[in-house]
Amino acid sequence: MKAIVYESNTGFTKQYAEMLSAKTGLPLYARTDANNQLAPKTDILYLGWLSAGAVHGYTKAAKRFHICGIIGVGLQDPTEDSVKELRARNHIDQIPVFYLQGGLDCGKLNFLQRRLMNMMRKIVTKSLASKPELTRQELQHLQILEHGGSYVKVENLNPVLRWMETSS
Ligand SMILES: Cc1cc2nc3c(=O)[nH]c(=O)nc-3n(C[C@H](O)[C@H](O)[C@H](O)COP(=O)(O)O)c2cc1C
């Protein structure tokens, strides 16, 4: 692996990319800069924020670079199926895939994105309303959907770092 390349809308994916770069010593590039600064076919780790399940910028990055691993950063709770869903939605077969929880910063969203997040919040709130009691995780999720917040933690990167150690 020669570099880390990322695409971030509001900064959470960038935070993970920066932490990974600091931990591994690999140079870091925003996807649009990487096109000018990295040679075609360079081996990269790619991180992209998720929108409607799509890893932003992945298709474009895959056309130019050799992607060794992919990290999708979203808001949903990680589940056993998160990676399976990412693979299916983004048509990724062989490459190692990871899912990390980012966060929400409504102030950085554009008008359309804010409207979509409001719809998402209403759907989640409605689906949880019928439950007699909410878990701590569910309460935190509602809080973040309502007011914004971050799930980013350096420990979330442990599975990625373990994989990078064994694959280098
Ligand atoms: C329009 C829109 C669509 C989104 N769709 C998804 C989604 O399908 N799955 C998910 O887990 N998160 C989704 N999110 C949440 C973002 O992926 C999450 O906030 C992420 O941390 C953003 O990363 P960034 O700060 O690097 O842009 C969506 C957010 C927006 C604004």
Side-chain angles (χ1 to χ4, degrees):
M1 200 107 57
K2 295 280 188 292
I4 296 168
V5 176
Y6 70 91
E7 186 165 318
S8 181
N9 184 39
T10 62
F12 298 103
T13 308
K14 186 178 180 202
Q15 283 178 35
Y16 278 126
E18 285 171 346
M19 287 177 191
L20 272 175
S21 172
K23 290 247 170 215
T24 60
L26 289 170
L28 178 65
Y29 302 89
R31 188 185 61 75
T32 44
D33 299 337
N35 287 344
N36 303 323
Q37 296 176 9
L38 283 176
K41 308 265 182 253
T42 301
D43 286 351
I44 64 159
L45 171 67
Y46 186 77
L47 295 88
W49 72 285
L50 292 180
S51 138
V55 181
H56 262 260
Y58 160 63
T59 313
K60 285 181 182 154
K63 282 189 185 142
R64 185 161 178 95
F65 303 114
H66 176 240
I67 300 189
C68 304
I70 299 165
I71 302 176
V73 178
L75 200 56
Q76 284 174 8
D77 277 341
T79 67
E80 278 180 11
D81 290 334
S82 300
V83 167
K84 218 189 287 174
E85 285 164 13
L86 273 184
R87 284 190 180 285
R89 170 71 178 81
N90 295 275
H91 311 289
I92 304 164
D93 288 330
Q94 307 290 338
I95 311 168
V97 175
F98 299 86
Y99 171 75
L100 298 178
Q101 231 176 352
L104 181 64
D105 184 343
C106 296
K108 291 185 181 164
L109 299 179
N110 66 31
F111 176 73
L112 187 63
Q113 291 169 345
R114 256 202 310 272
R115 285 197 67 167
L116 286 167
M117 282 313 298
N118 280 340
M119 280 165 57
M120 207 189 276
R121 179 164 45 82
K122 279 183 191 149
I123 291 167
V124 173
T125 310
K126 206 172 160 191
S127 77
L128 293 178
S130 56
K131 291 189 76 176
E133 210 175 332
L134 298 182
T135 64
R136 244 182 63 200
Q137 259 180 329
E138 287 165 339
L139 284 169
Q140 185 189 14
H141 200 63
L142 281 181
Q143 176 84 4
I144 286 183
L145 280 173
E146 189 75 35
H147 304 290
S150 176
Y151 289 105
V152 175
K153 283 190 292 215
V154 72
E155 304 90 89
N156 294 350
L157 290 169
N158 287 345
V160 181
L161 289 167
R162 275 198 297 274
W163 162 73
M164 288 175 92
E165 268 168 32
T166 55
S167 68
S168 59

